[in-house]
Coordinates of all heavy atoms in Angstrom, one line a residue:
T1 N -11.2 311.5 -45.4 CA -12.4 312.3 -45.0 C -13.1 311.5 -43.9 O -12.9 310.3 -43.7 CB -13.3 312.5 -46.2 OG1 -13.7 311.2 -46.7 CG2 -12.6 313.3 -47.3
P2 N -13.9 312.2 -43.1 CA -14.6 311.6 -41.9 C -15.6 310.5 -42.4 O -16.2 310.6 -43.5 CB -15.3 312.7 -41.2 CG -15.3 313.9 -42.2 CD -14.2 313.6 -43.2
V3 N -15.8 309.6 -41.5 CA -16.8 308.6 -41.7 C -18.2 309.2 -41.4 O -18.4 309.8 -40.4 CB -16.6 307.3 -40.8 CG1 -17.7 306.3 -40.9 CG2 -15.2 306.7 -41.1
V4 N -19.1 309.0 -42.4 CA -20.5 309.5 -42.2 C -21.5 308.5 -41.8 O -22.3 308.8 -41.0 CB -20.9 310.1 -43.6 CG1 -22.4 310.6 -43.6 CG2 -20.0 311.2 -44.1
E5 N -21.3 307.2 -42.2 CA -22.2 306.1 -41.9 C -21.4 304.8 -42.0 O -20.4 304.8 -42.7 CB -23.4 306.1 -42.8 CG -24.5 305.1 -42.4 CD -25.1 305.4 -41.1 OE1 -25.9 306.3 -41.0 OE2 -24.7 304.7 -40.1
S6 N -21.8 303.8 -41.2 CA -21.2 302.5 -41.3 C -22.3 301.5 -41.6 O -23.3 301.5 -41.0 CB -20.6 302.1 -39.9 OG -19.5 303.0 -39.7
I7 N -22.0 300.7 -42.7 CA -23.0 299.7 -43.1 C -22.4 298.3 -42.7 O -21.3 298.0 -43.0 CB -23.1 299.7 -44.7 CG1 -23.4 301.1 -45.2 CG2 -24.1 298.7 -45.2 CD1 -24.7 301.7 -44.8
P8 N -23.3 297.5 -42.0 CA -22.8 296.2 -41.6 C -22.7 295.3 -42.9 O -23.5 295.3 -43.8 CB -23.9 295.7 -40.7 CG -25.1 296.5 -41.0 CD -24.6 297.8 -41.5
L9 N -21.6 294.5 -42.9 CA -21.3 293.6 -43.9 C -21.3 292.2 -43.4 O -21.5 291.9 -42.2 CB -19.9 293.9 -44.5 CG -19.6 295.3 -45.0 CD1 -18.1 295.4 -45.4 CD2 -20.4 295.5 -46.3
V10 N -21.0 291.2 -44.3 CA -20.9 289.8 -43.9 C -19.9 289.7 -42.8 O -20.1 289.0 -41.8 CB -20.5 288.9 -45.1 CG1 -20.2 287.5 -44.7 CG2 -21.6 288.9 -46.1
A11 N -18.7 290.3 -43.0 CA -17.7 290.3 -42.0 C -17.2 291.8 -41.8 O -16.6 292.4 -42.7 CB -16.5 289.5 -42.5
G12 N -17.5 292.4 -40.7 CA -17.1 293.7 -40.4 C -18.1 294.8 -40.9 O -19.3 294.6 -41.0
W13 N -17.5 296.0 -41.2 CA -18.3 297.2 -41.5 C -17.7 297.9 -42.7 O -16.5 297.9 -42.9 CB -18.3 298.1 -40.3 CG -19.0 297.6 -39.1 CD1 -18.5 296.7 -38.2 CD2 -20.4 297.8 -38.8 NE1 -19.4 296.4 -37.3 CE2 -20.6 297.0 -37.6 CE3 -21.4 298.5 -39.3 CZ2 -21.8 297.0 -37.0 CZ3 -22.7 298.5 -38.7 CH2 -22.9 297.7 -37.5
F14 N -18.6 298.5 -43.5 CA -18.2 299.3 -44.6 C -18.3 300.8 -44.1 O -19.5 301.2 -43.8 CB -19.0 299.1 -45.9 CG -18.6 299.9 -47.0 CD1 -17.4 299.7 -47.7 CD2 -19.3 301.0 -47.4 CE1 -17.1 300.5 -48.8 CE2 -19.0 301.8 -48.5 CZ -17.8 301.5 -49.2
E15 N -17.2 301.5 -44.0 CA -17.3 302.9 -43.6 C -17.5 303.8 -44.8 O -16.7 303.8 -45.7 CB -16.0 303.2 -42.8 CG -15.8 302.5 -41.5 CD -14.6 302.9 -40.8 OE1 -13.6 303.4 -41.4 OE2 -14.6 302.7 -39.6
V16 N -18.6 304.5 -44.8 CA -18.9 305.4 -45.9 C -18.3 306.8 -45.5 O -18.7 307.4 -44.5 CB -20.5 305.5 -46.1 CG1 -20.8 306.5 -47.2 CG2 -21.1 304.2 -46.3
R17 N -17.4 307.2 -46.3 CA -16.7 308.5 -46.0 C -17.4 309.7 -46.7 O -18.1 309.5 -47.7 CB -15.3 308.4 -46.4 CG -14.6 307.2 -45.7 CD -13.1 307.5 -45.5 NE -12.5 306.5 -44.6 CZ -12.3 306.6 -43.3 NH1 -12.7 307.7 -42.7 NH2 -11.8 305.7 -42.6
Q18 N -17.1 310.8 -46.2 CA -17.7 312.1 -46.7 C -17.4 312.2 -48.2 O -18.3 312.6 -49.0 CB -17.2 313.3 -45.9 CG -17.8 314.6 -46.4 CD -19.3 314.7 -46.2 OE1 -19.8 314.2 -45.2 NE2 -20.0 315.3 -47.1
S19 N -16.2 311.9 -48.7 CA -15.9 312.0 -50.1 C -16.8 311.1 -50.9 O -17.2 311.5 -52.0 CB -14.4 311.7 -50.3 OG -14.1 310.3 -49.8
F20 N -17.1 309.9 -50.5 CA -18.0 309.0 -51.2 C -19.5 309.6 -51.2 O -20.2 309.5 -52.2 CB -18.0 307.6 -50.6 CG -18.8 306.6 -51.4 CD1 -18.7 306.5 -52.7 CD2 -19.7 305.7 -50.7 CE1 -19.4 305.5 -53.4 CE2 -20.4 304.8 -51.4 CZ -20.2 304.6 -52.8
V21 N -19.9 310.2 -50.1 CA -21.2 310.8 -50.0 C -21.3 311.9 -51.1 O -22.3 312.1 -51.7 CB -21.5 311.3 -48.6 CG1 -22.8 312.2 -48.6 CG2 -21.6 310.1 -47.7
E22 N -20.2 312.7 -51.2 CA -20.2 313.8 -52.2 C -20.3 313.3 -53.6 O -21.0 313.9 -54.4 CB -18.9 314.6 -52.0 CG -18.9 315.4 -50.7 CD -17.6 316.0 -50.3 OE1 -16.6 315.9 -51.1 OE2 -17.5 316.6 -49.2
E23 N -19.7 312.2 -53.9 CA -19.8 311.6 -55.2 C -21.2 311.1 -55.5 O -21.8 311.3 -56.5 CB -18.8 310.4 -55.4 CG -17.4 310.8 -55.5 CD -17.1 311.7 -56.7 OE1 -17.7 311.4 -57.7 OE2 -16.2 312.6 -56.6
L24 N -21.8 310.5 -54.5 CA -23.2 310.0 -54.6 C -24.1 311.2 -54.8 O -25.0 311.1 -55.6 CB -23.6 309.2 -53.3 CG -23.0 307.9 -53.1 CD1 -23.3 307.3 -51.7 CD2 -23.4 306.9 -54.2
D25 N -23.9 312.2 -54.1 CA -24.8 313.4 -54.2 C -24.6 314.0 -55.6 O -25.6 314.5 -56.2 CB -24.4 314.5 -53.1 CG -25.4 315.6 -53.0 OD1 -26.6 315.3 -53.1 OD2 -25.0 316.7 -52.7
R26 N -23.4 314.0 -56.2 CA -23.2 314.5 -57.5 C -23.9 313.6 -58.6 O -24.5 314.1 -59.5 CB -21.7 314.6 -57.8 CG -21.3 315.9 -58.5 CD -19.8 316.0 -58.6 NE -19.2 316.3 -57.3 CZ -18.1 315.8 -56.9 NH1 -17.4 315.0 -57.6 NH2 -17.6 316.2 -55.7
A27 N -23.8 312.3 -58.4 CA -24.3 311.4 -59.4 C -25.8 311.2 -59.3 O -26.5 310.9 -60.3 CB -23.7 310.0 -59.2
Y28 N -26.4 311.4 -58.1 CA -27.8 311.2 -57.9 C -28.4 312.4 -57.2 O -28.7 312.4 -56.0 CB -28.1 309.9 -57.0 CG -27.4 308.7 -57.6 CD1 -26.2 308.2 -57.0 CD2 -27.9 308.1 -58.7 CE1 -25.6 307.1 -57.6 CE2 -27.3 306.9 -59.3 CZ -26.1 306.5 -58.7 OH -25.5 305.4 -59.2
P29 N -28.6 313.5 -57.9 CA -29.0 314.8 -57.3 C -30.4 314.7 -56.7 O -30.7 315.6 -55.8 CB -29.0 315.8 -58.4 CG -29.0 315.0 -59.7 CD -28.4 313.6 -59.3
A30 N -31.3 313.8 -57.1 CA -32.7 313.8 -56.5 C -32.8 313.1 -55.2 O -33.8 313.0 -54.6 CB -33.6 313.2 -57.5
I31 N -31.7 312.5 -54.7 CA -31.7 311.6 -53.5 C -30.9 312.3 -52.4 O -29.9 312.9 -52.6 CB -31.0 310.3 -53.9 CG1 -31.6 309.6 -55.1 CG2 -31.0 309.4 -52.6 CD1 -33.0 309.3 -55.0
D32 N -31.5 312.2 -51.2 CA -30.9 312.7 -50.0 C -29.9 311.6 -49.6 O -30.3 310.5 -49.1 CB -31.9 312.9 -48.9 CG -31.3 313.3 -47.6 OD1 -30.0 313.2 -47.4 OD2 -32.0 313.8 -46.7
P33 N -28.6 311.8 -49.7 CA -27.6 310.7 -49.5 C -27.6 310.2 -48.1 O -27.5 309.0 -47.9 CB -26.3 311.3 -49.9 CG -26.5 312.7 -49.9 CD -27.9 313.0 -50.1
I34 N -27.7 311.0 -47.1 CA -27.6 310.6 -45.7 C -28.8 309.8 -45.3 O -28.7 308.7 -44.7 CB -27.5 311.8 -44.7 CG1 -26.2 312.6 -45.1 CG2 -27.4 311.4 -43.3 CD1 -24.9 311.9 -45.0
L35 N -30.0 310.2 -45.7 CA -31.2 309.5 -45.4 C -31.2 308.1 -46.1 O -31.5 307.1 -45.5 CB -32.4 310.3 -45.9 CG -33.8 309.6 -45.7 CD1 -34.1 309.3 -44.2 CD2 -34.9 310.4 -46.3
T36 N -30.7 308.1 -47.3 CA -30.7 306.8 -48.1 C -29.7 305.9 -47.5 O -29.9 304.7 -47.4 CB -30.4 307.1 -49.6 OG1 -31.4 308.0 -50.1 CG2 -30.4 305.8 -50.4
L37 N -28.5 306.4 -47.1 CA -27.5 305.5 -46.4 C -28.1 304.9 -45.1 O -27.8 303.8 -44.7 CB -26.2 306.3 -46.1 CG -25.4 306.6 -47.4 CD1 -24.3 307.6 -47.1 CD2 -24.8 305.3 -47.9
R38 N -28.9 305.7 -44.4 CA -29.5 305.2 -43.2 C -30.5 304.1 -43.5 O -30.6 303.1 -42.8 CB -30.2 306.3 -42.4 CG -29.2 307.3 -41.7 CD -30.0 308.4 -41.0 NE -29.0 309.3 -40.5 CZ -29.2 310.6 -40.2 NH1 -30.4 311.0 -40.4 NH2 -28.3 311.3 -39.7
E39 N -31.2 304.2 -44.6 CA -32.2 303.2 -45.1 C -31.4 301.9 -45.4 O -31.8 300.8 -45.1 CB -32.9 303.6 -46.3 CG -34.0 304.7 -46.0 CD -34.6 305.3 -47.2 OE1 -34.2 304.9 -48.4 OE2 -35.4 306.2 -47.1
I40 N -30.2 302.1 -46.1 CA -29.4 300.9 -46.5 C -28.9 300.2 -45.2 O -29.0 299.0 -45.1 CB -28.2 301.4 -47.4 CG1 -28.8 301.8 -48.7 CG2 -27.2 300.3 -47.5 CD1 -27.8 302.5 -49.6
R41 N -28.5 301.0 -44.2 CA -28.0 300.4 -43.0 C -29.1 299.6 -42.3 O -28.9 298.5 -41.8 CB -27.4 301.5 -42.1 CG -27.0 301.0 -40.7 CD -26.6 302.1 -39.8 NE -26.4 301.6 -38.5 CZ -25.2 301.4 -37.9 NH1 -24.1 301.7 -38.6 NH2 -25.1 300.9 -36.7
A42 N -30.3 300.2 -42.2 CA -31.4 299.6 -41.6 C -31.8 298.3 -42.3 O -32.1 297.3 -41.6 CB -32.6 300.5 -41.5
W43 N -31.7 298.3 -43.6 CA -32.0 297.1 -44.4 C -31.0 296.0 -44.1 O -31.3 294.8 -43.9 CB -32.0 297.4 -45.9 CG -32.5 296.2 -46.7 CD1 -33.7 295.9 -47.1 CD2 -31.6 295.2 -47.3 NE1 -33.7 294.7 -47.8 CE2 -32.4 294.3 -48.0 CE3 -30.2 295.0 -47.2 CZ2 -31.9 293.2 -48.6 CZ3 -29.7 293.9 -47.9 CH2 -30.5 293.0 -48.6
C44 N -29.7 296.4 -44.0 CA -28.7 295.4 -43.7 C -28.8 294.8 -42.3 O -28.5 293.6 -42.1 CB -27.3 296.0 -43.9 SG -26.9 296.3 -45.7
V45 N -29.2 295.6 -41.4 CA -29.4 295.2 -40.0 C -30.6 294.2 -39.9 O -30.5 293.2 -39.3 CB -29.6 296.4 -39.0 CG1 -30.1 295.9 -37.7 CG2 -28.3 297.2 -38.9
A46 N -31.6 294.5 -40.7 CA -32.8 293.6 -40.7 C -32.7 292.4 -41.5 O -33.4 291.4 -41.3 CB -34.0 294.5 -41.2
N47 N -31.7 292.4 -42.4 CA -31.5 291.2 -43.3 C -30.1 290.7 -43.3 O -29.3 290.8 -44.3 CB -31.9 291.7 -44.8 CG -33.3 292.0 -44.9 OD1 -34.2 291.2 -45.0 ND2 -33.6 293.3 -45.0
P48 N -29.7 290.2 -42.1 CA -28.3 289.8 -42.0 C -27.8 288.7 -43.0 O -26.7 288.7 -43.4 CB -28.2 289.3 -40.6 CG -29.6 289.0 -40.2 CD -30.4 289.9 -40.9
K49 N -28.7 287.9 -43.5 CA -28.4 286.8 -44.4 C -28.1 287.4 -45.8 O -27.4 286.8 -46.7 CB -29.4 285.8 -44.6 CG -29.6 284.9 -43.3 CD -30.6 283.9 -43.5 CE -30.7 283.1 -42.2 NZ -31.8 282.0 -42.3
N50 N -28.5 288.6 -46.1 CA -28.3 289.3 -47.4 C -27.2 290.4 -47.4 O -27.1 291.2 -48.3 CB -29.6 289.9 -47.9 CG -30.6 288.8 -48.2 OD1 -30.3 287.8 -48.7 ND2 -31.9 289.1 -47.8
R51 N -26.5 290.4 -46.3 CA -25.4 291.5 -46.2 C -24.4 291.2 -47.3 O -24.2 290.1 -47.7 CB -24.8 291.4 -44.8 CG -25.7 292.0 -43.8 CD -25.0 292.0 -42.4 NE -25.9 292.4 -41.4 CZ -25.7 292.3 -40.1 NH1 -24.5 291.9 -39.7 NH2 -26.6 292.7 -39.2
K52 N -23.7 292.3 -47.7 CA -22.7 292.2 -48.7 C -21.3 292.1 -48.2 O -21.1 292.2 -47.0 CB -22.8 293.5 -49.6 CG -24.2 293.8 -50.1 CD -24.8 292.7 -50.8 CE -26.3 292.9 -51.1 NZ -27.0 291.7 -51.5
T53 N -20.4 291.7 -49.1 CA -19.0 291.6 -48.8 C -18.4 293.0 -48.9 O -19.0 293.9 -49.5 CB -18.3 290.7 -49.7 OG1 -18.4 291.2 -51.0 CG2 -18.9 289.3 -49.6
A54 N -17.2 293.2 -48.4 CA -16.5 294.5 -48.5 C -16.3 294.8 -50.0 O -16.4 296.0 -50.4 CB -15.1 294.4 -47.8
G55 N -16.0 293.9 -50.9 CA -15.8 294.1 -52.3 C -17.1 294.5 -53.0 O -17.0 295.2 -54.0
G56 N -18.2 294.1 -52.5 CA -19.5 294.4 -53.2 C -20.3 295.5 -52.6 O -21.4 295.9 -53.1
A57 N -19.8 296.2 -51.6 CA -20.5 297.2 -50.9 C -20.8 298.4 -51.7 O -21.9 298.9 -51.8 CB -19.8 297.6 -49.6
T58 N -19.8 298.9 -52.4 CA -20.0 300.1 -53.2 C -21.0 299.9 -54.4 O -21.8 300.7 -54.7 CB -18.7 300.7 -53.8 OG1 -18.0 299.7 -54.5 CG2 -17.8 301.2 -52.7
R59 N -20.9 298.7 -55.0 CA -21.8 298.4 -56.1 C -23.3 298.3 -55.5 O -24.2 298.8 -56.1 CB -21.4 297.0 -56.7 CG -22.4 296.7 -57.8 CD -21.9 295.4 -58.5 NE -22.9 295.1 -59.5 CZ -22.9 294.0 -60.3 NH1 -21.8 293.2 -60.2 NH2 -23.8 293.8 -61.2
F60 N -23.4 297.7 -54.3 CA -24.7 297.6 -53.7 C -25.3 299.0 -53.4 O -26.4 299.3 -53.7 CB -24.6 296.8 -52.4 CG -25.8 296.8 -51.5 CD1 -27.0 296.2 -52.0 CD2 -25.8 297.3 -50.3 CE1 -28.1 296.1 -51.2 CE2 -26.9 297.3 -49.4 CZ -28.1 296.7 -49.9
I61 N -24.5 299.9 -52.9 CA -24.9 301.2 -52.5 C -25.3 302.0 -53.8 O -26.3 302.6 -53.9 CB -23.8 302.0 -51.7 CG1 -23.7 301.3 -50.3 CG2 -24.1 303.4 -51.6 CD1 -22.5 301.8 -49.5
N62 N -24.4 301.9 -54.8 CA -24.7 302.6 -56.1 C -26.0 302.1 -56.7 O -26.8 302.8 -57.3 CB -23.5 302.4 -57.1 CG -22.5 303.5 -56.9 OD1 -22.8 304.7 -57.1 ND2 -21.3 303.1 -56.5
G63 N -26.2 300.8 -56.7 CA -27.4 300.2 -57.2 C -28.7 300.7 -56.5 O -29.7 301.0 -57.1
W64 N -28.6 300.8 -55.2 CA -29.7 301.3 -54.4 C -30.0 302.7 -54.7 O -31.1 303.1 -55.0 CB -29.3 301.2 -52.9 CG -30.4 301.4 -51.9 CD1 -31.1 302.6 -51.8 CD2 -31.0 300.5 -51.0 NE1 -32.1 302.4 -50.8 CE2 -32.0 301.2 -50.3 CE3 -30.7 299.2 -50.7 CZ2 -32.7 300.6 -49.2 CZ3 -31.4 298.6 -49.7 CH2 -32.4 299.3 -49.0
F65 N -28.9 303.5 -54.8 CA -29.1 304.9 -55.2 C -29.7 305.1 -56.6 O -30.6 305.9 -56.8 CB -27.8 305.7 -55.1 CG -27.5 306.3 -53.7 CD1 -27.2 305.5 -52.7 CD2 -27.6 307.6 -53.5 CE1 -26.9 306.0 -51.4 CE2 -27.4 308.2 -52.3 CZ -27.0 307.4 -51.2
A66 N -29.3 304.3 -57.5 CA -29.8 304.3 -58.9 C -31.3 304.0 -59.0 O -32.1 304.7 -59.6 CB -29.0 303.4 -59.8
R67 N -31.7 303.0 -58.2 CA -33.1 302.6 -58.2 C -33.9 303.8 -57.5 O -35.0 304.1 -58.0 CB -33.3 301.3 -57.4 CG -33.0 300.1 -58.2 CD -33.3 298.8 -57.5 NE -32.7 298.7 -56.2 CZ -31.5 298.2 -56.0 NH1 -30.7 297.9 -57.1 NH2 -31.0 298.1 -54.8
E68 N -33.4 304.4 -56.5 CA -34.1 305.5 -55.8 C -34.2 306.7 -56.8 O -35.3 307.3 -56.9 CB -33.4 305.9 -54.5 CG -33.6 304.9 -53.4 CD -35.0 304.8 -53.0 OE1 -35.7 305.8 -52.8 OE2 -35.5 303.6 -52.7
Q69 N -33.2 307.0 -57.5 CA -33.2 308.1 -58.5 C -34.2 307.8 -59.5 O -35.0 308.7 -59.9 CB -31.8 308.2 -59.1 CG -31.7 309.3 -60.1 CD -31.3 310.6 -59.6 OE1 -31.0 310.8 -58.4 NE2 -31.4 311.6 -60.4
N70 N -34.3 306.6 -60.0 CA -35.3 306.3 -61.1 C -36.7 306.4 -60.5 O -37.6 306.8 -61.3 CB -35.1 304.9 -61.6 CG -33.8 304.8 -62.5 OD1 -33.4 305.8 -63.0 ND2 -33.3 303.6 -62.6
R71 N -36.9 306.1 -59.3 CA -38.3 306.2 -58.7 C -38.7 307.7 -58.6 O -39.8 308.0 -58.7 CB -38.3 305.6 -57.3 CG -38.5 304.1 -57.3 CD -38.8 303.6 -55.9 NE -38.4 302.2 -55.9 CZ -37.5 301.6 -55.0 NH1 -37.0 302.4 -54.1 NH2 -37.3 300.4 -55.1
Q72 N -37.7 308.5 -58.3 CA -37.9 310.0 -58.2 C -38.4 310.6 -59.5 O -39.1 311.5 -59.6 CB -36.7 310.7 -57.6 CG -36.3 310.3 -56.2 CD -37.4 310.7 -55.2 OE1 -38.0 311.7 -55.3 NE2 -37.5 309.8 -54.2
R73 N -37.8 310.0 -60.6 CA -38.1 310.5 -61.9 C -39.5 310.1 -62.4 O -40.1 310.7 -63.2 CB -37.1 310.1 -62.9 CG -35.7 310.7 -62.7 CD -34.8 310.2 -63.8 NE -33.5 310.8 -63.5 CZ -32.4 310.4 -64.1 NH1 -32.4 309.5 -65.0 NH2 -31.2 311.0 -63.9
A74 N -40.0 309.0 -61.9 CA -41.2 308.4 -62.4 C -42.4 309.2 -61.9 O -42.4 310.0 -61.1 CB -41.4 306.9 -61.9

């Protein structure tokens, strides 16, 4: 599936594909996935020392989405 967003990592980039965005949208219905991915990208650009590895990128993204979902419910 096409790449929707690219998140900078410690080494290289994590390409977020449309299929992953669809899974995020299904799991976190209160969240705009594209806007949230842009926020994640901006955070990673602004915090290069806290960038994630390729292996930890999906966990980081899921954690971010889960926190946003919980904020929407509160």
Side-chain angles (χ1 to χ4, degrees):
T1 59
V3 174
V4 175
E5 187 63 76
S6 295
I7 308 293
L9 301 172
V10 170
W13 295 83
F14 180 76
E15 294 181 338
V16 181
R17 302 212 172 260
Q18 181 63 38
S19 58
F20 186 48
V21 171
E22 290 168 5
E23 289 297 324
L24 291 169
D25 194 34
R26 224 175 285 142
Y28 306 104
I31 306 303
D32 179 344
I34 302 301
L35 178 62
T36 305
L37 288 168
R38 289 180 184 156
E39 291 172 359
I40 292 170
R41 178 187 169 102
W43 185 89
C44 289
V45 168
N47 297 282
K49 291 181 180 179
N50 294 323
R51 289 182 186 170
K52 307 306 171 193
T53 62
T58 54
R59 181 177 177 179
F60 172 64
I61 292 169
N62 272 297
W64 190 297
F65 271 73
R67 284 187 300 279
E68 287 295 317
Q69 178 86 8
N70 289 337
R71 280 191 203 125
Q72 296 297 322
R73 290 181 182 170

